Amino acid sequence: MLFYIIILFLVLISTKSFDIKKVSNGFGYCLASFILILVAILRFDVGWDYQSYYTILDEEIKAGYIRFEPLSLLISFIAMYFNMPSIFFILSGLIMYVTAFYAFKRFSVSPSISLIVYVGLFYLISLSIIRQALAISVCIYAYRYVISHNFKKYFICIIVATLFHYSAIISLIVYPIFHRFKIKTVILYIILAVFTRTIILYLLEYFNVFSAYLEKIDDIEGGKFTRVFYLLILISFFLLVKRKTYNEYERKHISIILVGLACPFLFGAMGERVGYYFLIYYCYLIPLLVHKKTIEKRIIYVMIFSLYFISTIYITSNIEEQKSAYTPYRTIFTADKYSFKY
């Protein structure tokens, strides 16, 4: 636990998140990004799915890796060729975080605030859902083509994302939501989805799509703890930011996030996994809302996401009869396959 507190402290100091003037979007941002990347790629048995991936690659279990998407499979083959499962996590982490953090640097109005939001909401998740996190990182980059009205290049990016995880195809609807759907329209479609939920679930089960997640309605990543927090973040915009009206650009982001918020309430754990493709837009929206506001509002959000980050680690470390996903933190230099947590 102390390790993560230190890492969070270093990230906050590097980005000057509590500075009374402004955050650091230059060298400090790059330093914080480097720290987060290093922690992720050098980890051992950190993350819910780490052991599963490691075992599949170490024992070359065809029934396991054969279901990987093409680009994820390519990374897996490289790791198996060198007989080093850790290569999978190193290469995946480098692609994932460099892509995401570069996108924040280029396309966010405040990269450091985007980074803090990502750390709070998605960093720990990315240590588990590795293939999907790779896909999400490409979708984060594809944001540049959403705001530049270039659907052709956006489409290409999403196709690349699906080569890491097929679920990324759902991100195609982000483009029309951003450019064509108003908030009222999005809410109307969500209400319609509520009434057709049973039919959708039946079809998913019938075609055996996301069947593994349909049974996990109340676990920690797909349950109330996470979904309520995401909703509270949206509510906080009206309590803390206190803006009577949001500009059109901000409303577009809110429309996308509303879809992500609805997903877990409609489809449980499976819905949360799908919802990440929309909720990731918090990383772009929150900087838009607070970067020109008072220092106090920015600091409040930094504290909210920092506390959520620490709380997630604490809660997952104290689940009875279940191994801790994130603690203790160990590296590939200090542990091996014979020292997994059970």
Side-chain angles (χ1 to χ4, degrees), residues 227-259:
R227 65 184 69 166
V228 170
F229 182 78
Y230 285 130
L231 180 59
L232 289 175
I233 290 299
L234 183 66
I235 294 174
S236 73
F237 297 157
F238 305 97
L239 299 178
L240 298 178
V241 180
K242 293 183 178 179
R243 299 180 61 170
K244 294 181 179 180
T245 59
Y246 294 95
N247 63 43
E248 182 181 0
Y249 196 55
E250 293 161 349
R251 288 198 298 271
K252 291 175 183 293
H253 289 77
I254 293 176
S255 294
I256 296 171
I257 288 169
L258 282 172
V259 176

Side-chain angles (χ1 to χ4, degrees), residues 13-27:
I13 292 299
S14 299
T15 56
K16 298 182 179 180
S17 296
F18 292 108
D19 194 285
I20 60 174
K21 295 181 180 179
K22 66 177 182 178
V23 296
S24 173
N25 292 315
F27 174 77

Side-chain angles (χ1 to χ4, degrees), residues 173-324:
I173 69 173
V174 166
Y175 195 92
I177 291 174
F178 190 90
H179 292 295
R180 296 182 181 276
F181 295 172
K182 296 183 178 180
I183 291 179
K184 291 181 180 179
T185 305
V186 171
I187 294 175
L188 180 62
Y189 278 119
I190 290 173
I191 294 173
L192 180 63
V194 170
F195 287 103
T196 58
R197 178 178 185 271
T198 303
I199 298 174
I200 295 173
L201 289 176
Y202 172 78
L203 291 174
L204 290 173
E205 184 176 0
Y206 181 80
F207 290 104
N208 197 30
V209 179
F210 287 111
S211 57
Y213 304 109
L214 292 175
E215 301 174 357
K216 301 177 182 179
I217 300 298
D218 294 313
D219 66 359
I220 189 64
E221 288 192 346
K224 298 178 181 179
F225 177 72
T226 303
R227 65 184 69 166
V228 170
F229 182 78
Y230 285 130
L231 180 59
L232 289 175
I233 290 299
L234 183 66
I235 294 174
S236 73
F237 297 157
F238 305 97
L239 299 178
L240 298 178
V241 180
K242 293 183 178 179
R243 299 180 61 170
K244 294 181 179 180
T245 59
Y246 294 95
N247 63 43
E248 182 181 0
Y249 196 55
E250 293 161 349
R251 288 198 298 271
K252 291 175 183 293
H253 289 77
I254 293 176
S255 294
I256 296 171
I257 288 169
L258 282 172
V259 176
L261 289 172
C263 286
F265 287 96
L266 290 169
F267 310 119
M270 178 200 68
E272 179 135 358
R273 293 285 293 265
V274 173
Y276 292 147
Y277 291 105
F278 307 95
L279 294 171
I280 195 66
Y281 277 77
Y282 268 133
C283 294
Y284 289 118
L285 173 61
I286 293 176
L288 283 172
L289 296 179
V290 304
H291 83 289
K292 289 185 178 180
K293 295 298 177 182
T294 62
I295 303 302
E296 290 78 8
K297 288 184 174 60
R298 184 239 298 168
I299 292 177
I300 287 174
Y301 275 102
V302 170
M303 292 179 62
I304 288 174
F305 291 115
S306 298
L307 290 173
Y308 182 74
F309 175 80
I310 297 300
S311 297
T312 301
I313 296 172
Y314 176 80
I315 292 173
T316 55
S317 300
N318 289 275
I319 301 177
E320 295 183 3
E321 301 180 356
Q322 181 172 307
K323 74 173 186 178
S324 172

